[in-house]
């Protein structure tokens, strides 16, 4: 990834959560910015509060998972989900309100 300034959002110990719970709670949709694929936007399936628990918001756009970019080559979101579904900690690079943010999920 190119050098970028990131805001880091971490859980406090009382907010421990796992990536598999997040995957069950959100919907990922391809996102395009000026006609170019820019990642996968996140939307809560039901309760928006679940996203907050993970430090996320509807409309956040995932661009990488644990450093694996979704922007190079053919994006393989399903492959990354399978790869990290049982991970205890996952780092998501997202775009929020036009700015890069890194969110760590898990312990």
């Amino acid at each position: 990834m190119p050098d970028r300034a990131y805001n880091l959002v971490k859980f406090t110990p009382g907010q421990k959560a796992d990536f598999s719970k997040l995957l069950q709670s959100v919907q990922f949709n391809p996102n395009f910015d000026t006609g170019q694929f820019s990642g996968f936007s996140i939307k809560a399936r039901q309760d928006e509060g679940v996203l907050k628990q993970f430090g996320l918001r509807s409309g956040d756009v995932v661009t990488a998972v644990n450093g694996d970019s979704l922007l190079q080559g053919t994006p393989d979101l399903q492959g990354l989900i399978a790869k990290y579904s049982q991970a205890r900690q996952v780092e998501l690079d997202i775009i929020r309100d036009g700015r890069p943010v890194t969110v760590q999920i898990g312990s």
Side-chain angles (χ1 to χ4, degrees):
M1 286 244 142
D3 291 335
R4 296 191 285 183
Y6 289 102
N7 295 319
L8 192 58
V9 179
K10 288 188 177 185
F11 290 104
T12 61
Q15 292 178 308
K16 199 171 187 179
D18 62 64
F19 191 52
S20 62
K21 182 179 177 188
L22 173 67
L23 294 175
Q24 296 169 10
S25 305
V26 300
Q27 178 179 341
F28 295 93
N29 295 305
N31 192 75
F32 295 88
D33 186 18
T34 62
Q36 296 288 322
F37 176 74
S38 60
F40 289 91
S41 64
I42 298 172
K43 180 181 177 186
R45 292 187 190 270
Q46 293 180 354
D47 181 12
E48 190 77 23
V50 171
L51 289 179
K52 289 181 183 181
Q53 178 186 5
F54 291 97
L56 298 167
R57 299 182 201 158
S58 279
D60 285 347
V61 178
V62 179
T63 60
V65 179
N66 279 3
D68 290 331
S69 176
L70 294 168
L71 304 180
Q72 298 173 351
T74 303
D76 184 13
L77 181 63
Q78 293 298 330
L80 288 177
I81 287 172
K83 182 177 179 178
Y84 295 116
S85 65
Q86 299 302 314
R88 295 182 69 182
Q89 183 172 344
V90 175
E91 185 175 278
L92 299 179
D93 292 341
I94 64 172
I95 302 296
R96 176 181 292 157
D97 300 325
R99 304 187 80 180
V101 177
T102 298
V103 177
Q104 289 184 349
I105 297 173
S107 53

